[in-house]
Amino acid sequence: MKKRLLSGIKPTGELHIGNYFGALKQFIDLQNDYEAFVFIADYHALNFIQNKSEMQTLSRSIAASYIACGLDPEKVVLFKQSDISAHTELFTIFTSITTMPYLMRAHAFKDAEAKNKDISVGTFNYPLLMASDILLYSPQVVPVGQDQKQHIEIARDTALKFNRIFNEEVFTSPEPLIIESVKTVPGLDGQKMSKSYNNVIPLFGTDEVIERACMSVVTNSNAKGTRNDPGDTLFTLISLFVNESEKVALKDRYETGELGYKEAKELLSSKIIEFITPLREKYTSLLQKPDYIDSVLENGAKKANKIASEKLLQAKVAIGVTN
Ligand code: ADP
Ligand code: TRP
């Protein structure tokens, strides 16, 4: 029997290369070896996107990105979180066995609260909905970027706590799959690349957008000919798009300063454009076929619902609300 993989991305904006290398690429690379469930976390996005047409457009855009980048809808179960009501039902159960002080220790909550005291209940509860997303499918692995590590730990704690309270092994503990070299892809300013920091290279940007973004990657103020740091943001981004031997050769030239910043930025944008052009064509053509995308998601929802509703039933029996 194949092991199971599950992950999701929330439709809060267009995907960027951090999402691709940190998460999506793992789904694609592992789709043949695992029974894979990949979804669109639209209820998570509702904390950020509160507009009907934006929600619809962004959800379809994530689905189109999944398929354009190489997830095969025949192999992978692709679905929308909101289509499976077991997610929100299990979430309700989890809210009763989780304490407020425990959730208040979550980094994402603390960050959100530091920015704005008026955070939504949905933002506070975010990790419990995510625990439900995961635990309904009993996946062995959950591929994510480093920023999601604590959320997976909360899912593990919640599984153990539920089993302990109700004295039954209903849920299994998932492991995060975080690839060291891409666990936090840096953005244009050197911080983590994120839709919310305005520092992204969009995965499906036009050539011009990609070129402009690459030219604005932060660098030291070294003059051409001085030594550069191959651990800096610019070289880290270049490394994502070249093979190992190219990387070694470029690293030498970069370190000695023979490859200057301007040339390195041009190299980065040409590598990204070369990589993204065929995927962008597929993505653009998929966006013209919303009925096809919707049918893939409907199909996926049927398969996901089967697994999720069985697990929910086990949980409801364990807590004593159903026989
Ligand atoms: P964002 O921070 O841009 O809003 P999401 O929270 O929607 O991105 O992330 C979707 C997936 O992509 C998650 O698994 C997340 O960990 C991963 N991810 C996001 N940004 C990065 C990054 N800069 N480096 C590595 N992985 C990332
Ligand atoms: N919280 C994740 C993010 O911000 C998205 C997500 C929701 C998710 N549910 C999940 C990821 C379940 C993995 C598993 O990126």
Side-chain angles (χ1 to χ4, degrees):
M1 270 250 293
K2 280 185 179 172
K3 287 188 178 169
R4 198 173 278 171
L5 167 160
L6 172 130
S7 195
I9 296 181
K10 55 186 187 317
T12 47
E14 303 276 334
L15 292 188
H16 51 74
I17 66 167
N19 299 133
Y20 178 79
F21 285 99
L24 188 46
K25 184 169 186 298
Q26 276 61 265
F27 314 164
I28 297 158
D29 290 348
L30 297 172
Q31 64 182 322
N32 293 323
D33 301 330
Y34 284 79
E35 185 191 2
F37 290 77
V38 177
F39 68 98
I40 297 160
D42 49 358
Y43 278 149
H44 278 117
L46 191 58
N47 291 301
F48 306 86
I49 303 294
Q50 302 186 340
N51 172 290
K52 176 177 172 174
S53 73
E54 250 187 286
M55 180 65 90
Q56 286 172 335
T57 308
L58 287 170
S59 295
R60 286 204 186 105
S61 129
I62 301 290
S65 308
Y66 282 156
I67 302 169
C69 289
L71 281 182
D72 178 353
E74 300 294 319
K75 285 190 198 138
V76 177
V77 181
L78 291 177
F79 66 102
K80 239 170 35 194
Q81 181 186 37
S82 61
D83 282 339
I84 314 294
S85 53
H87 290 232
T88 43
E89 220 177 318
L90 182 60
F91 159 78
T92 297
I93 297 175
F94 286 163
T95 59
S96 300
I97 64 162
T98 309
T99 69
M100 302 239 316
Y102 173 78
L103 283 187
M104 281 168 149
R105 290 200 291 272
H107 305 313
F109 166 73
K110 286 196 214 153
D111 292 350
E113 212 199 13
K115 279 192 204 129
N116 176 9
K117 289 272 172 236
D118 271 341
I119 65 165
S120 65
V121 175
T123 302
F124 181 62
N125 277 328
Y126 188 106
L128 287 188
L129 180 57
M130 183 157 160
S132 312
D133 298 339
I134 298 172
L135 298 179
L136 281 171
Y137 299 87
S138 318
Q140 279 82 9
V141 298
V142 183
V144 283
Q146 175 73 14
D147 60 333
Q148 297 300 312
K149 187 164 186 253
Q150 193 186 36
H151 287 152
I152 314 274
E153 280 156 13
I154 295 175
R156 291 169 60 89
D157 287 351
T158 307
L160 293 174
K161 190 165 186 191
F162 182 99
N163 294 350
R164 191 173 64 242
I165 293 175
F166 299 103
N167 201 19
E168 202 179 316
E169 292 299 304
V170 175
F171 297 112
T172 54
S173 292
E175 290 289 340
L177 176 76
I178 298 172
I179 309 269
E180 189 57 33
S181 56
V182 287
K183 66 181 189 186
T184 310
V185 173
L188 304 178
D189 55 0
Q191 290 188 75
K192 172 191 122 98
M193 189 177 288
S194 171
K195 285 170 225 148
S196 22
Y197 301 162
N198 216 356
N199 65 355
V200 306
I201 304 178
L203 189 57
F204 299 116
T206 59
D207 289 1
E208 293 71 36
V209 167
I210 292 171
E211 279 160 7
R212 215 175 322 120
C214 291
M215 287 327 257
S216 70
V217 174
V218 282
T219 45
N220 291 332
S221 46
N222 295 356
K224 188 169 163 60
T226 46
R227 294 181 77 80
N228 299 322
D229 171 12
D232 70 3
T233 302
L234 181 54
F235 200 79
T236 305
L237 290 171
I238 292 175
S239 306
L240 298 171
F241 294 92
V242 296
N243 62 32
E244 208 41 49
S245 60
E246 253 183 300
K247 185 178 157 185
V248 172
L250 284 169
K251 183 167 176 263
D252 276 352
R253 292 184 55 219
Y254 194 68
E255 266 182 321
T256 58
E258 184 196 332
L259 176 64
Y261 288 144
K262 181 161 180 290
E263 203 191 329
K265 287 178 177 183
E266 285 164 359
L267 175 74
L268 175 64
S269 68
S270 71
K271 288 283 176 191
I272 298 180
I273 291 168
E274 184 187 323
F275 167 77
I276 214 59
T277 300
L279 307 186
R280 195 172 51 193
E281 276 165 19
K282 269 197 214 153
Y283 172 75
T284 316
S285 100
L286 279 163
L287 288 183
Q288 312 302 316
K289 298 179 202 149
D291 292 348
Y292 168 71
I293 294 179
D294 293 351
S295 76
V296 166
L297 295 176
E298 260 170 54
N299 235 330
K302 284 187 199 134
K303 296 182 195 158
N305 194 42
K306 213 165 152 280
I307 312 278
S309 54
E310 269 172 34
K311 187 50 80 180
L312 177 67
L313 179 62
Q314 269 184 45
K316 288 174 75 175
V317 171
I319 65 176
V321 298
T322 303
N323 288 322

